[in-house]
Amino acid sequence: MTATLEVRDLRTHFFTRGGVVKAVDGVSFEIGKGQILGLVGESGSGKSITGFSILGLVDPPGRIVEGEILLKGESLVGLPEDRLRSVRGNRIAMIFQDPMMTLNPVLRIDTQMIEAVQAHHDVSRDDARARARDALGRVGIPSPEERLSAYPHQFSGGMRQRVAIAIALLNNPELISADEPTTALDVTIQGQILYEVQKLCRETGTSLIWITHDLSVVAGLADKVCVMYAGKLVESGSVDEVLDRPLHPYTKGLIGSVPSRNKRGRPLAQIPGMTPSLLNLPDGCPFADRCQRVQGDCRVALPPMVEYLPGRFARCIHPHLEAAA
Amino acid sequence: MTVFMVRRLMQSVVVLLVMSVIVFLGVFAIGNPVDILISPDADQMERERAIKALGLDLPIWEQYFVFLANAARGDLGRSFVFNEPALRLIFERMPATLELAGTAVVMSLVIGIPLGLYAGLRPQAATSKGIMAGSIVGFSLPTFWQGLMLIMVFAVMLGWLPSTGRGQVATFLGIKSSLFTSDGLAHVILPAFNLALGNAALIIRLTRAGVRESLLQDYVKFARAKGLSNQRVVGVHVFKNILIPLVTVIGLEIGGLIAFAVVTESIFAWPGMGKLIIDSINQLDRPVMVAYLMMIVLLFIAINLVVDILYSAIDPRVRLQDVKG
Amino acid sequence: MTAPLVTLVPPPKIETPFRRLVSEFMESPLAVVGLVVLTIILLVAIFAPLISPQNPYDLAKLDILDSRLQPGSKSMDGMTFWLGTDGQGRDMLSGIFYGLRTSLAVGVFSGICAMMVGMAAGLAAAYFGGRVETLIMRLVDLQLSFPTILIALILLAVLGQGIGKIILALVIVQWAYYARTIRGTALVERRREYVEAAVCLGLSKPRIIFGHILPNCMPPMIVIGTVQVASAIALEATLSFLGIGLPITEPSLGLLIANGFEYLLSGKYWISFFPGIALLVTIVSINLVGDQLRDVLNPRLRK
Ligand SMILES: Nc1ncnc2c1ncn2[C@@H]1O[C@H](COP(=O)(O)OP(=O)(O)OP(=O)(O)O)[C@@H](O)[C@H]1O
Ligand code: SF4
Ligand SMILES: [Mg+2]
């Protein structure tokens, strides 16, 4: 069976005046039907650009320079704009980070929902509106009929994000890519939305890419996890295994920096240093300057992704293999 | 809404009163009011009668109230030159000016918005750079010289268009205007274009800045992620957002156009208020100056009011907060 | 805690803020052209009496037989009028040099005066706050809601003509822009940390205003200043053209253009055309420089 989405060795670079910024530089993953993939990494590691690349929404000076993106086996890279447009919002939908910014402030909610339906289906305004109302109901917005004629500023942040999710659900997409959709919300609402999205995806068989810098979110939600560092995938595998037994020192550092109950009282581990500049990355492992296991050979060439355990890949030449617990 | 209107009306009355004080002090108190208000040809007897009649022997604040009371009755004195009520003179000339300014506004929008959109959507294109350079020249061009050059090229050298006066007037739907005859249209093109050019340059820059700003916004990216066509993203999502600054500036600029019509009317011998005021200044016809001033203030207040109402019609966020200052 | 392992980047070339501004300014070729042209114009204006082929206001030198000659014609005594002559037989080139002198002098001088008045008012508003601030800012708002030309017209109508009066009118027309800008910046600066730090150090209010806020208000002032000088020059030319600006004894470019108006319809374009070009080039070059200055001096706009 072909995967819903397969990304192979994606490279998206920005050609700026200061040089080439390799924002995404070698990312591969696969999502099956109804699966949830967590894409994790620090700020600036290229998560959002990966998400935008899938929909062909990278703005100049950025462009996909290499790689394959296959939706049910069909290649999306290099597709003409109008073909891509029929995929966007229809077969693949997106939810953005900040619900305050994603809805157009001067258009009513119904306008913004109806246009999303009519962009892909030849239906009447009334039918589109009815569909919009149902979608609002599904994401738990009370009295959807009235709320349809409201403006975004009349909603709270959590409600706006529900509207954005409803818009994503409108055309029953095969895949939703959610770019940190809960970071701008407070914790209780975060939990509710997480739960609902998970439920909706399970019900409809929609696959989901959940982009976040918060490993604890991924732990409760995803099936698979991909860890990004400086534009590169550094580790991937099933959530349980990666969290139980991280192979890459960076992943281990990330897990160590998540506060949890059983570590209370002990100082939180931190990953020392800063993310390197994506301009002129040095040869070798990009994590070398911050890595506690670094050795001379790490700086020679970029380590390849290696399948150290079945289904478990890591981009490290000295992975945590000994720590089998 | 009503609260807002009442507030605004009260503010307007205050502005009007303040302006009446300034005008009163400026024209009545600084110069010798006797010279100003009574024809210089009057003999001693007439002068004294007039001084009594005008109440110039009263204390200054009482004089102000007399002025105010007269003004409220629509009596702003008689023109020395035309020996007619000053206000009537103004009203006779006003339609020509409004016609000119209105045509100029339309022209500047028709020129400015498409060029601004183009330059904003393709900032790197050579055409866009040309448009921007042109707009700098456009608002640097002194109106009066530009008018002379228009006359030189289109009336003298090419002989395409008439260079002076207003064309035939016709009545349509109860409105008397020269825009309804071909002769009238031919006459209005040059002066209106002259008046419109600087404004068009401003609108180009404003539109471009607005487009560039809103293209960076998440809601535009989200609209594209919904699979909307480019036309819809630009025509609805971007355009509706730049409409807000545009309306504000156009509102302000209509006032500016009416004021700057002074220059254009003098060059093109357009029989409007502006030409009247220049003639009155040159002939020291002060009652007409006062009447013009008060009318202009009134006009400005009216325009500002309309702009504010339009503003709240376009920007839903304004509507809730009735009182904004 | 372990010290963060930050890799040391080699220190960049030492750049003073001024050098950085200069190099950023130079990034726009258009702005550089503007600056060069503007410099030339300023030199011409300053040295007009030395470089003009003729003293256009020495009536003894004028010959009515030379009037309205085409560009490139020769005078009775063999001098070439590169830009032709006006109705009185004056060399247009010399007239333009002298006109530039007057126009620039009036524009720059009124700009400086307006900046001082506006700065004083704006700082007073920011310093005193309360009633004073409300009063000043209401006045500014009121004035800014009326077009400059209108205010200037009224003032000149009331005041009468003359070089002093037109400068006064230009100052009155412009001060509000400076006042609004300086108060705006002062309000922003007031909230910045360094001002808070200065307050904590117990510095007095005047020290804070003049030592800390004022220097930080300078960049926007410079930008507004260039724009305002350009618009003052244009406004003065307009008023002179309308016959209510500078008197005939001090002809500015506006008056030269007005003089050519009557000949325009008979095809003698040069009398209005060349002074207008001089005016246009002056204003455009000031605006080009101002545009780039705004980008360079405004860190928010920097990409
Ligand atoms: N227009 C651009 N020009 C140049 N570089 C860019 C541009 N857009 C993004 N980048 C670079 O791409 C890198 C990845 O950005 P991206 O937004 O994908 O990060 P992210 O992982 O989503 O981070 P965050 O958690 O902050 O959202 C950044 O380091 C940034 O420097
Ligand atoms: S390759 Fe070397 S430096 Fe890079 S993560 Fe592995 S151990 Fe650390
Ligand atoms: Mg991101």
Side-chain angles (χ1 to χ4, degrees), chain A residues 148-205:
Chain A
L148 267 180
S149 35
Y151 284 93
H153 70 267
Q154 293 163 318
F155 289 80
S156 68
M159 282 296 160
R160 282 192 219 190
Q161 198 59 299
R162 280 166 206 259
V163 172
I165 294 170
I167 291 178
L169 291 173
L170 270 177
N171 296 312
N172 299 317
E174 292 148 46
L175 174 74
I176 295 178
S177 147
D179 191 351
E180 311 204 37
T182 55
T183 19
L185 305 176
D186 65 52
V187 185
T188 40
I189 296 174
Q190 242 181 57
Q192 283 173 17
I193 288 194
L194 271 177
Y195 168 75
E196 278 163 23
V197 169
Q198 196 175 16
K199 198 178 79 180
L200 289 167
C201 285
R202 298 272 184 254
E203 281 167 14
T204 54

Side-chain angles (χ1 to χ4, degrees), chain B residues 23-308:
Chain B
V23 169
F24 178 78
L25 287 180
V27 178
F28 286 69
I30 292 180
N32 182 351
V34 181
D35 299 338
I36 296 169
L37 292 175
I38 304 166
S39 162
D41 312 330
D43 63 26
Q44 194 57 33
M45 282 283 284
E46 274 179 88
R47 283 176 78 90
E48 260 155 37
R49 199 152 10 94
I51 288 177
K52 267 245 147 48
L54 290 167
L56 291 177
D57 45 351
L58 300 172
I60 186 118
W61 57 271
E62 269 185 54
Q63 286 186 41
Y64 172 69
F65 284 116
V66 172
F67 164 76
L68 213 56
N70 284 341
R73 281 187 285 114
D75 177 7
L76 291 170
R78 292 176 83 82
S79 158
F80 306 148
V81 179
F82 297 94
N83 198 24
E84 261 187 69
L87 210 54
R88 192 199 299 161
L89 273 176
I90 301 279
F91 276 125
E92 275 167 15
R93 306 294 187 93
M94 194 145 51
T97 297
L98 293 183
E99 181 180 299
L100 182 65
T103 315
V105 170
V106 174
M107 268 190 191
S108 59
L109 291 177
V110 170
I111 300 171
I113 293 182
L115 292 182
L117 278 176
Y118 184 91
L121 292 173
R122 293 201 177 67
Q124 298 306 326
T127 327
S128 305
K129 296 202 165 133
I131 292 173
M132 293 324 286
S135 78
I136 290 193
V137 176
F139 71 65
S140 301
L141 270 172
T143 328
F144 67 98
W145 183 71
Q146 161 199 313
L148 295 190
M149 294 303 113
L150 286 176
I151 290 180
M152 190 180 88
V153 174
F154 292 100
V156 179
M157 285 160 68
L158 298 172
W160 288 353
L161 293 166
S163 68
T164 53
R166 189 181 181 211
Q168 270 168 11
V169 178
T171 310
F172 182 69
L173 296 177
I175 303 169
K176 245 168 108 178
S177 166
S178 76
L179 297 179
F180 303 135
T181 67
S182 60
D183 177 56
L185 280 176
H187 277 85
V188 83
I189 290 179
L190 278 188
F193 183 68
N194 189 43
L195 201 51
L197 209 59
N199 231 6
L202 189 73
I203 290 178
I204 288 177
R205 297 178 79 80
L206 209 68
T207 309
R208 184 185 100 113
V211 170
R212 301 212 42 195
E213 172 89 30
S214 57
L215 280 184
L216 296 177
Q217 301 291 321
D218 272 1
Y219 60 76
V220 167
K221 201 144 196 173
F222 188 63
R224 288 171 60 205
K226 289 195 294 192
L228 302 185
S229 65
N230 249 335
Q231 291 95 294
R232 177 131 188 126
V233 174
V234 173
V236 176
H237 286 260
V238 172
F239 193 70
K240 213 158 171 215
N241 274 283
I242 59 176
L243 220 52
I244 295 167
L246 267 183
V247 165
T248 323
V249 170
I250 292 166
L252 293 174
E253 286 306 300
I254 290 179
L257 284 181
I258 291 174
F260 267 95
V262 169
V263 179
T264 300
E265 287 178 6
S266 310
I267 296 168
F268 291 88
W270 188 264
M273 298 192 287
K275 186 153 165 39
L276 181 68
I277 177 78
I278 290 292
D279 293 344
S280 332
I281 290 177
N282 283 330
Q283 291 158 337
L284 288 179
D285 195 351
R286 296 212 169 146
V288 176
M289 286 157 48
V290 173
Y292 174 82
L293 258 183
M294 295 312 291
M295 277 316 298
I296 283 276
V297 175
L298 213 59
L299 214 57
F300 266 64
I301 291 173
I303 291 170
N304 281 339
L305 208 60
V306 172
V307 169
D308 276 342

Side-chain angles (χ1 to χ4, degrees), chain A residues 107-116 125 129 132 147-150:
Chain A
L107 297 176
R108 295 200 325 208
I109 300 297
D110 56 356
T111 317
Q112 304 193 45
M113 296 187 80
I114 290 168
E115 66 180 5
R125 228 190 110 80
R129 200 183 146 94
R147 301 308 268 162
L148 267 180
S149 35

Side-chain angles (χ1 to χ4, degrees), chain A residues 85-111:
Chain A
R85 199 149 63 218
S86 69
V87 171
R88 291 181 196 140
N90 190 23
R91 300 181 60 192
I92 305 179
M94 247 186 122
I95 305 168
F96 289 15
Q97 172 167 6
D98 189 349
M100 296 304 185
M101 314 294 294
T102 42
L103 297 174
N104 193 325
V106 299
L107 297 176
R108 295 200 325 208
I109 300 297
D110 56 356
T111 317

Side-chain angles (χ1 to χ4, degrees), chain A residues 25 50 52-53 67-68 86 90 102 109 113 132 135 158 161-162 166 186 197 199 213 221 230 232 234 239 277 303 320:
Chain A
D25 201 35
T50 306
F52 289 132
S53 302
E68 275 297 337
S86 69
N90 190 23
T102 42
I109 300 297
M113 296 187 80
Q161 198 59 299
R162 280 166 206 259
D186 65 52
V197 169
K199 198 178 79 180
H213 55 256
L221 177 78
K232 297 170 179 66
V234 293
V239 169
S277 151
H320 288 277

